[in-house]
Amino acid sequence: MINFKVQFSLLFFLVLNFFNAQTPFEYEKETGYKGNNIPGLTYIEDSFNFLVLGDFGRVGDYYQKDVARELGNATVVLDAEFIVSVGDNFYPNGVQSTQDYHWISSFESIYTNPSLYTDWYVALGNHDYRGSVQAQIDYSKISRRWHLPSRYYSKTFEIENGEKLLLVVMDTNPFIEDYHKSPEKYDGIKKQDTLAQTKWLEQTLGTSDPSIKWKIVVGHHPLYSGGKRKTDKNTLSFEKKFANVFEKYKVDAYICGHEHDLQIIKPKGRKTAQFLSGSGSEVRTTGNREGTIFAAAEPGFMTFSILKNKLLVQTVKANANGAQVLHQHEISK
């Protein structure tokens, strides 16, 4: 039996630790980190965190350097596990090889915060198809942080107490009909087997693993948009192909880009919420549609934090003046 003195000492220790608890940012600043905090960015102790960036590779121009700087700061603030790229990694025409200078000018020399030397899970965009997709896959063997093992793939992460997150990365490009009309522009597009990928997608999402608590799908093209492509036939067609599939397999979130803005959309009656983060460098005017929860024509990215039955998504604006949290959205299981 623990005596009163031991009980009191234990209680005192716990209370002292509570009041002395440091955030990841506070710890890093004490050890010499030179970056800045992001006011309003919520860190949840013990949460599983990752960041989402899209449509970024522009040799540091437009807003790319500003977004890269604040992406690094946010990774420190949240102690994030990894980064997700939703595609259009290199403008305007992808890369030609693993030695293409675009790797240096648009990636390695831009995302230089030490926190960003973590795992990047990468999707392919339409501009990536204008160069060598195979070169981006092969770069996974050269770079410690670049992960693109194949055109589409999945990865499972342990979150807490044996529960897992299933991250499914699609190659949405072969499902866009207009690209097949210009095969000379989109290298290898006609060779892609959409039936095989759809079968793989359904098998992967249909997992019987009871430890999978969260299902998140990543792709380049949106299911929905209130922006430039709101009524585009390719957007409407993509929704018809996959919105019901995601509902069938109870996908919690679909993460995408393609539109150069920041949007959160969840149409009435749908389980799957769409998070569009496509303003990693260039910004375009956006707007609303049925189900729009948030939309902003601002440069930036999104952060995802999972703890127990909650998923917190924070939308961050980044420019030359710093960073600002524009919106927070929570999903509860």
Side-chain angles (χ1 to χ4, degrees):
M1 184 174 180
I2 301 176
N3 62 37
F4 175 77
K5 185 179 290 187
V6 173
Q7 287 179 327
F8 179 81
S9 297
L10 180 59
L11 179 62
F12 179 78
F13 175 78
L14 291 173
V15 171
L16 186 65
N17 276 355
F18 175 80
F19 285 106
N20 288 336
Q22 285 183 310
T23 66
F25 177 78
E26 290 168 339
Y27 172 79
E28 295 299 335
K29 288 299 285 187
E30 281 192 359
T31 59
Y33 179 59
K34 303 299 183 184
N36 294 321
N37 200 352
I38 297 180
L41 187 62
T42 301
Y43 167 69
I44 306 171
E45 189 173 4
D46 297 327
S47 59
F48 182 92
N49 304 283
F50 65 92
L51 278 64
V52 174
L53 175 73
D55 303 76
F56 60 82
R58 294 182 184 274
V59 198
D61 210 332
Y62 297 76
Y63 294 100
Q64 189 185 5
K65 286 184 179 179
D66 295 330
V67 174
R69 181 193 66 242
E70 299 304 332
L71 186 77
N73 287 334
T75 304
V76 171
V77 170
L78 298 181
D79 191 23
E81 300 287 335
F82 56 86
I83 313 293
V84 169
S85 165
V86 299
D88 276 3
N89 308 310
F90 301 98
Y91 287 96
N93 299 313
V95 292
Q96 189 60 33
S97 72
T98 58
Q99 302 303 309
D100 195 310
Y101 193 70
H102 231 331
W103 289 106
I104 303 299
S105 62
S106 291
F107 183 64
E108 300 291 1
S109 68
I110 304 298
Y111 302 98
T112 58
N113 188 298
S115 69
L116 298 179
Y117 284 83
T118 186
D119 296 317
W120 287 57
Y121 294 100
V122 181
L124 294 165
N126 51 299
H127 284 269
D128 300 311
Y129 258 83
R130 296 183 186 183
S132 171
V133 168
Q134 190 60 47
Q136 293 202 36
I137 293 172
D138 291 344
Y139 200 71
S140 303
K141 301 172 185 177
I142 295 174
S143 170
R144 166 61 182 82
R145 54 178 169 168
W146 187 270
H147 295 279
L148 180 61
S150 56
R151 293 172 191 255
Y152 52 91
Y153 59 97
S154 66
K155 177 79 175 178
T156 302
F157 301 90
E158 293 215 7
I159 304 174
E160 58 175 349
N161 301 323
E163 294 179 338
K164 298 174 183 175
L165 159 68
L166 174 63
L167 186 75
V168 179
V169 181
M170 295 179 63
D171 177 7
T172 59
N173 296 280
F175 296 97
I176 306 302
E177 289 88 348
D178 278 358
Y179 298 169
H180 291 266
K181 299 175 184 177
S182 305
E184 72 288 347
K185 189 175 181 180
Y186 300 98
D187 186 40
I189 196 78
K190 282 190 171 295
K191 296 179 181 179
Q192 303 312 306
D193 189 337
T194 54
L195 290 178
Q197 185 178 171
T198 301
K199 181 179 179 180
W200 166 85
L201 178 68
E202 296 211 41
Q203 288 177 339
T204 304
L205 291 175
T207 175
S208 59
D209 185 348
S211 66
I212 300 291
K213 184 164 186 177
W214 297 91
K215 294 179 182 179
I216 296 178
V217 177
V218 177
H220 183 64
H221 295 84
L223 293 166
Y224 326 107
S225 177
K228 176 184 176 181
R229 297 180 174 91
K230 180 177 181 178
T231 58
D232 185 275
K233 65 178 181 179
N234 291 308
T235 303
L236 300 177
S237 175
F238 191 75
E239 176 187 353
K240 288 180 181 178
K241 289 183 174 77
F242 291 107
N244 288 334
V245 173
F246 295 164
E247 293 297 308
K248 176 181 178 181
Y249 295 104
K250 296 180 171 57
V251 172
D252 298 290
Y254 176 61
I255 300 173
C256 60
H258 199 45
E259 296 281 56
H260 296 172
D261 53 37
L262 300 162
Q263 300 183 52
I264 301 174
I265 300 173
K266 186 180 180 184
K268 186 177 180 180
R270 292 290 188 186
K271 171 184 172 56
T272 305
Q274 176 185 278
F275 299 91
L276 192 157
S277 181
S279 57
S281 59
E282 184 188 64
V283 175
R284 276 199 303 253
T285 301
T286 189
N288 298 332
R289 54 146 283 164
E290 189 276 317
T292 294
I293 295 170
F294 172 80
E298 300 285 358
F301 53 90
M302 292 182 177
T303 75
F304 288 69
S305 301
I306 299 173
L307 183 64
K308 301 186 185 303
N309 297 320
K310 304 286 187 181
L311 168 61
L312 174 65
V313 181
Q314 303 180 80
T315 304
V316 181
K317 171 185 175 180
N319 59 26
N321 299 320
Q324 176 187 353
V325 177
L326 297 177
H327 186 266
Q328 294 182 330
H329 179 76
E330 191 175 271
I331 295 176
S332 298
K333 298 288 274 186

